[in-house]
């Protein structure tokens, strides 16, 4: 029959017209992402021992780790990811056996300026004296936290 | 008689119908094509060379970027080649997960091609229709691998992660719905009169031509040559599944398209069977592969049936932790080789139909 194709096509249009819509009002509403989603990285700085395994696992040398020597121990002072080269493959997350680096579900990583793209996960100064034992560890931890706070504030500043 | 003069027309490199950055230099006599010269290389990223500077595991994310529409299969070809080289036994559960995700990936690729081909011919509804299902399948892939397109899910010796809770049931449920969707494509696209008029008897390939140009995949099978690696030389665990190899008759654009649609139904069958069988298998998803992975000296070539055709990886090892040389036999690139003869004598509008029916992905062509 002449025009049967047209009718068939319109049939689909008619059916689709009445199906529920999936539109999400994006910036206000966000589509839920699965648990394994490869979004922005988060680092648990307390767990990280600056072993460089993640940096070595990365195919694109995205991760830069700077450590300082405090007493006999290594102290992580800088953890910067040049996220513009990242493949989001997850090899770094897999390589870390301290479970320190993770993906989060945050996918909004756009930046206005190129210099703000690198993800600064840790930026702090090394404490002067090594935390010798459990008692003297407390103040070091406190300075740690303060340093982290400033780092977080810094990171926020550069992101905005 | 009016004297005419041939002229050249650049089709691409920035044309939506070239499916990426690809140029065809057409020599035209009026509207008729005298010669079609494919020019590729605009997307060349040197992935084969990059692989030489990376460890075996680090190459996996790069293989995703070859055929990003069926990245899982690209992963699969590479890891299986390396496993063959180092003689690693892959746990059964991992094999099943590979088959399920690989076939899902093939489905996403075929669904996209179907939709985009409809768009090439001028039917935009078909495009939207196919994207609807593709999104759902990508959601499933995202749930298991964390990414939608460049999945990097497979690892040498297994897969990155087991299926999350309830994922297999979700896939199973979707596979039950999928035949209904494919019926819709058949009704809207395959049965469309304009679509048939534009594709039937266009760009015909004979069996001899297809074989002598070493074409593969649906492009080869559309001519009636029964050659599917999953059946001919079963790799992985494909010999455990019951499925058919859909064949075409004429080797024209329509047959190439139809082969893909029929193949989708076979992929559904494979996934359903694999889900049925995996439920009885519990165990590890990774073989014991040392952290400092160094395969023995040697050379290997391994090929699998990807969504576009035969995907082969040739890996040479010098005993270090980095491959000495990796070469990829990309089906899109080789299938493209016959484009000149296929286009000759046809009109400019048919070039779009012919190129779309070969189903190329430029990431793979240029590598
Ligand atoms: S996700 Fe991949 S590319 Fe990105 S930092 Fe980790 S290892 Fe490197
Ligand atoms: S592998 Fe883990 S512990 Fe080691 S440096 Fe990276 S994040 Fe820190």
């Amino acid at each position: 029959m002449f025009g049967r194709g047209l009718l068939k096509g319109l049939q689909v249009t008619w059916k689709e017209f009445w199906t529920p819509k999936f539109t999400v009002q994006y910036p206000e509403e966000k589509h839920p992402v699965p648990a394994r989603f490869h979004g922005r990285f988060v680092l648990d700085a307390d767990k990280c021992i600056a072993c460089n395994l993640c940096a070595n696992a990365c195919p694109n040398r995205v991760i830069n780790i700077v450590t300082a020597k405090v007493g006999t121990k290594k102290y992580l002072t800088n953890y910067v990811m040049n996220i513009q080269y990242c493949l989001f493959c997850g090899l770094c997350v897999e390589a870390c056996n301290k479970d320190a680096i993770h993906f989060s579900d945050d996918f909004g990583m756009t930046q206005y300026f190129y210099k703000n793209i690198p993800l600064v996960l840790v930026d702090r100064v090394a404490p002067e004296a090594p935390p010798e034992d459990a008692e003297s560890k407390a103040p070091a931890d406190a300075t740690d936290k303060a340093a982290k706070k400033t780092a977080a504030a810094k990171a926020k500043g550069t992101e905005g | 008689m009016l004297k005419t003069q041939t002229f050249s027309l650049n089709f691409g490199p920035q044309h939506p119908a070239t499916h990426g950055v690809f140029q065809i230099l057409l020599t035209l006599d009026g509207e008729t094509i005298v010669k079609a010269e494919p020019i590729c290389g605009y997307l060349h990223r040197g992935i084969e060379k990059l692989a030489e500077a990376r460890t075996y595991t680090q190459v996996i994310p790069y293989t995703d970027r070859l055929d990003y529409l069926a990245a899982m299969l690209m992963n699969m070809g590479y890891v299986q080649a390396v496993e063959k080289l180092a003689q690693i036994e892959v746990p059964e559960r991992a094999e099943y997960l590979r088959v399920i995700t690989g076939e899902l990936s093939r489905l996403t690729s075929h669904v996209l091609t179907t939709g985009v081909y409809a768009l090439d011919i001028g039917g935009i509804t078909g495009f939207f229709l196919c994207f609807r299902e593709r999104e759902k399948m990508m959601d499933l892939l995202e749930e298991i691998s964390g990414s939608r397109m460049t999945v990097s899910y497979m690892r040498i010796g297994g897969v990155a992660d087991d299926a999350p809770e309830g994922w297999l049931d979700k896939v199973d449920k979707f596979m039950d719905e999928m035949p209904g969707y494919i019926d819709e494509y058949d009704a809207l696209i395959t049965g469309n009169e304009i679509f048939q008029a534009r594709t039937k008897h266009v760009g015909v390939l004979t069996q001899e031509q297809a074989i002598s140009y070493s074409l593969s995949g649906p492009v080869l099978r559309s001519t009636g040559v029964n050659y599917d690696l999953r059946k001919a030389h079963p790799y992985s665990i494909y010999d455990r599944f019951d499925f058919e190899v859909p064949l075409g008759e004429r080797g024209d654009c329509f047959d190439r398209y139809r082969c893909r649609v029929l193949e989708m139904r076979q992929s559904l069958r494979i996934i359903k069977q694999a889900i049925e069988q995996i439920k009885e298998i519990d165990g590890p998803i990774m073989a014991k592969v040392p952290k400092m992975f160094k395969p023995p000296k040697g050379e290997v070539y391994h090929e699998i049936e990807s969504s576009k055709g035969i995907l082969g990886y040739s890996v040479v090892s010098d005993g270090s932790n980095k491959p000495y040389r990796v070469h990829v036999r990309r089906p899109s690139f080789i299938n493209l080789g016959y484009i000149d003869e296929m286009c000759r004598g046809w009109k400019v509008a048919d070039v779009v139909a012919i190129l779309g029916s070969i189903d190329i992905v430029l990431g793979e062509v240029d590598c």
Side-chain angles (χ1 to χ4, degrees):
Chain A
M1 193 185 83
F2 179 74
R4 213 174 61 198
L6 178 70
L7 282 180
K8 257 198 239 164
L10 284 176
Q11 227 173 14
V12 174
T13 315
W14 185 248
K15 221 179 86 198
E16 277 305 308
F17 186 76
W18 297 107
T19 52
K21 304 293 170 286
F22 295 112
T23 315
V24 172
Q25 300 298 334
Y26 168 58
E28 290 85 30
E29 276 175 58
K30 274 189 185 146
H31 207 283
V33 290
R36 285 181 194 171
F37 184 74
H38 289 188
R40 176 207 285 267
F41 292 91
V42 282
L43 179 79
D44 193 338
D46 296 331
K47 281 188 188 165
C48 178
I49 53 164
C51 63
N52 246 340
L53 276 181
C54 50
N56 289 338
C58 177
N60 269 2
R61 305 220 181 112
V62 169
I63 303 171
N64 281 313
I65 296 173
V66 182
T67 55
K69 204 145 192 191
V70 177
T72 52
K73 280 201 169 149
K74 261 203 289 188
Y75 186 86
L76 178 69
T77 55
N78 266 79
Y79 193 110
V80 181
M81 298 181 85
N82 288 315
I83 212 85
Q84 66 268 42
Y85 305 127
C86 182
L87 303 163
F88 289 91
C89 57
L91 290 179
C92 50
V93 177
E94 250 178 67
C96 179
N97 44 26
K98 294 284 169 213
D99 209 19
I101 185 135
H102 293 284
F103 284 114
S104 72
D105 58 1
D106 180 12
F107 49 80
M109 281 179 277
T110 42
Q111 295 290 350
Y112 199 83
F113 294 107
Y114 189 79
K115 67 173 195 308
N116 295 342
I117 293 175
L119 208 57
V120 185
L121 293 176
V122 173
D123 184 12
R124 58 188 180 187
V125 282
E128 299 272 301
E132 293 298 339
D133 41 56
E135 288 93 57
S136 60
K137 206 178 172 195
D141 261 6
T143 53
D144 237 38
K145 262 182 199 151
K148 230 189 282 166
K149 235 182 209 169
T150 54
K154 238 188 200 170
K156 242 186 198 161
T158 51
E159 270 156 33
Chain B
M1 186 93 166
L2 210 61
K3 194 169 160 278
T4 59
Q5 201 179 358
T6 58
F7 70 105
S8 14
L9 178 79
N10 283 310
F11 188 79
Q14 297 288 353
H15 192 286
T18 57
H19 297 214
V21 273
F22 178 60
Q23 184 183 10
I24 311 181
L25 187 55
L26 297 172
T27 309
L28 298 172
D29 181 4
E31 271 263 352
T32 314
I33 289 142
V34 181
K35 194 170 164 236
E37 191 189 334
I39 302 166
C40 51
Y42 289 99
L43 196 64
H44 181 69
R45 296 151 296 171
I47 286 182
E48 288 173 358
K49 190 74 192 163
L50 283 172
E52 292 169 19
R54 299 209 166 28
T55 64
Y56 283 90
T57 311
Q58 286 175 350
V59 179
I60 297 169
Y62 289 93
T63 61
D64 284 333
R65 272 91 186 155
L66 290 170
D67 178 2
Y68 35 80
L69 300 179
M72 222 39 116
L73 294 165
M74 293 285 147
N75 280 187
M76 192 165 170
Y78 173 73
V79 294
Q80 284 187 346
V82 178
E83 280 155 9
K84 206 173 178 180
L85 183 70
Q87 288 170 349
I88 296 169
E89 192 78 35
V90 181
E92 245 191 336
R93 193 171 165 85
E95 287 281 20
Y96 275 101
L97 283 171
R98 280 183 184 183
V99 168
I100 294 169
T101 51
E103 290 301 321
L104 255 181
S105 211
R106 188 191 310 276
L107 270 174
T108 56
S109 167
H110 280 350
V111 164
L112 183 87
T113 317
T114 307
V116 172
Y117 195 43
L119 186 71
D120 280 345
I121 302 292
I124 199 163
T125 316
F127 178 68
F128 290 141
L129 206 60
C130 293
F131 254 79
R132 188 186 56 184
E133 276 76 72
R134 185 177 147 81
E135 279 304 303
K136 288 182 194 159
M137 285 188 275
M138 304 256 284
D139 284 345
L140 290 172
L141 286 179
E142 189 184 14
E143 219 169 297
I144 193 168
S145 72
S147 304
R148 295 173 76 78
M149 279 178 94
T150 48
V151 287
S152 304
Y153 176 62
M154 296 192 189
R155 296 284 181 274
I156 295 162
V159 290
D161 236 325
D162 206 338
E165 191 72 34
W167 186 81
L168 289 167
D169 295 322
K170 255 192 225 174
V171 178
D172 198 37
K173 195 166 148 271
F174 185 69
M175 289 303 121
D176 287 334
E177 295 165 14
M178 196 62 197
Y181 296 134
I182 301 176
D183 288 343
E184 263 180 71
Y185 309 154
D186 271 340
L188 184 82
I189 309 169
T190 321
N192 186 295
E193 290 141 29
I194 303 168
F195 181 81
Q196 292 196 8
R198 287 281 312 271
T199 54
K200 274 193 176 163
H201 306 291
V202 175
V204 179
L205 261 173
T206 65
Q207 289 194 357
E208 292 73 42
Q209 286 165 339
I211 293 169
S212 63
Y213 274 79
S214 72
L215 309 186
S216 55
V219 179
L220 171 72
R221 290 192 288 273
S222 71
T223 63
V225 180
N226 189 349
Y227 191 71
D228 186 321
L229 273 180
R230 290 173 294 172
K231 276 267 192 228
H233 303 286
Y235 53 92
S236 189
I237 46 164
Y238 274 105
D239 48 355
R240 296 186 198 175
F241 307 116
D242 173 36
F243 65 101
E244 283 149 32
V245 181
L247 300 176
E249 289 145 21
R250 293 177 301 267
D252 56 3
C253 287
F254 183 74
D255 268 1
R256 288 194 278 275
Y257 158 83
R258 207 177 56 112
C259 266
R260 280 187 204 105
V261 178
L262 293 175
E263 239 171 60
M264 277 195 239
R265 294 187 193 271
Q266 301 305 323
S267 286
L268 297 182
R269 277 177 69 186
I270 297 175
I271 296 177
K272 293 256 344 157
Q273 289 169 46
I275 290 176
E276 196 61 44
Q277 293 173 22
I278 197 177
K279 284 183 180 151
E280 270 121 59
I281 297 160
D282 228 359
I285 47 150
M286 264 304 266
K288 285 215 162 49
V289 180
K291 271 246 149 75
M292 257 316 245
F293 176 65
K294 281 185 187 165
K297 257 188 202 179
E299 194 176 335
V300 77
Y301 177 72
H302 180 73
E303 48 186 20
I304 66 162
E305 185 74 36
S306 93
S307 63
K308 316 278 187 289
I310 295 172
L311 166 78
Y313 279 94
S314 170
V315 183
V316 183
S317 157
D318 59 355
S320 71
N321 62 347
K322 290 170 183 164
Y324 180 74
R325 177 85 172 89
V326 174
H327 174 68
V328 196
R329 184 222 191 261
R330 294 101 66 198
S332 293
F333 176 66
I334 289 160
N335 290 353
L336 204 55
Y338 196 62
I339 188 100
D340 181 24
E341 282 91 332
M342 255 197 271
C343 287
R344 269 185 206 173
W346 293 97
K347 302 278 192 285
V348 177
D350 296 318
V351 175
V352 180
I354 292 169
L355 192 65
S357 74
I358 310 175
D359 183 17
I360 53 165
V361 164
L362 266 296
E364 197 182 64
V365 171
D366 292 346
C367 190

